[in-house]
Amino acid sequence: MPETTPVSSTALPVFPALSAQAERLIELGVHEVAGLSTADLRAFTQAAECRASDGDALLAVHPDQAPASALAPLLRRDGKPGFVVSDMPDVDLFASLDTIALPDAPLYLLTGLDRGDQLANWSPDEALPALTAKARTPLLLTEGIHWVLQQPAVLERNHCFMTIGSRLRKANGALDSRTPALWISNGTGRDGRERRNAPKVGWCWAGNRHTWLGFASAAGRRGRDL
């Protein structure tokens, strides 16, 4: 295994209250993408906030109802919208690993989020068993986007992150070698100069290491019927 990279000195912010997160999603129109009413979101977070254990949690919409292709353009950095790289037209086909049990509900919570800076310069193939050994669950791509929607500062240069809970399964059952990630565009190549500093959904090979990409994970997920 590679040596552990020192953790960033940047302190990640505490999550807004769940009710504030719901209002943020409503402001962005995520509820409409997901086919939910404003009352659905508000009722879910109101019930969740009655539980002290649900403090400092992230509100997420199930990826079946709000796919990455619909969420990515809602990201903003320096006034520029987020985007999916042009060579990832199948982004919405990246589904959760078989080892991840998603709540059977349109809305759910993620707790104990970590950007995984300490695993920077590890490959996805190396990071996944390390997270599993610590009883951590890797984030899905849509969950990572939700995190940045609520806390844009979590995406910073030299400290971006992969979301290896989402993988594409080939027709023969094998996993595609691409692993999704969220980072900041340099405005080079096919991104275009106008996208410099924009939030970017891209991918990396499962066997490659990158010093500036950690591996986002959570302690767990919890759903609640609306």
Side-chain angles (χ1 to χ4, degrees), residues 14-26:
V14 174
F15 281 107
L18 290 172
S19 56
Q21 293 185 44
E23 295 306 317
R24 172 67 174 156
L25 296 185
I26 291 169

Side-chain angles (χ1 to χ4, degrees), residues 182-204:
L182 283 155
W183 71 87
I184 300 166
S185 174
N186 287 324
T188 56
R190 285 178 287 185
D191 288 2
R193 289 192 300 174
E194 70 280 2
R195 282 176 165 164
R196 179 172 173 77
N197 293 326
K200 173 178 177 177
V201 171
W203 59 269
C204 300

Side-chain angles (χ1 to χ4, degrees), residues 84-195:
V84 180
V85 293
S86 60
D87 56 352
M88 204 176 182
D90 51 0
V91 64
D92 292 337
L93 298 181
F94 283 69
S96 59
L97 291 169
D98 294 341
T99 54
I100 296 176
L102 289 181
D104 185 18
L107 299 168
Y108 62 96
L109 303 179
L110 292 122
T111 58
L113 269 73
D114 179 71
R115 194 170 58 184
D117 293 1
Q118 69 278 9
L119 296 178
N121 206 32
W122 290 47
S123 72
D125 286 343
E126 294 165 335
L128 182 58
L131 291 172
T132 301
K134 293 184 177 181
R136 303 283 303 175
T137 179
L139 290 199
L140 307 187
L141 174 57
T142 53
E143 294 169 347
I145 295 174
H146 275 293
W147 193 1
V148 181
L149 286 175
Q150 298 291 350
Q151 295 183 320
V154 77
L155 202 64
E156 59 175 323
R157 286 207 176 274
N158 301 316
H159 295 289
C160 298
F161 59 88
M162 302 196 70
T163 53
I164 59 174
S166 294
R167 296 293 296 271
L168 176 63
R169 185 79 60 178
K170 296 180 181 179
N172 64 4
L175 289 175
D176 187 278
S177 296
R178 293 171 296 166
T179 53
L182 283 155
W183 71 87
I184 300 166
S185 174
N186 287 324
T188 56
R190 285 178 287 185
D191 288 2
R193 289 192 300 174
E194 70 280 2
R195 282 176 165 164

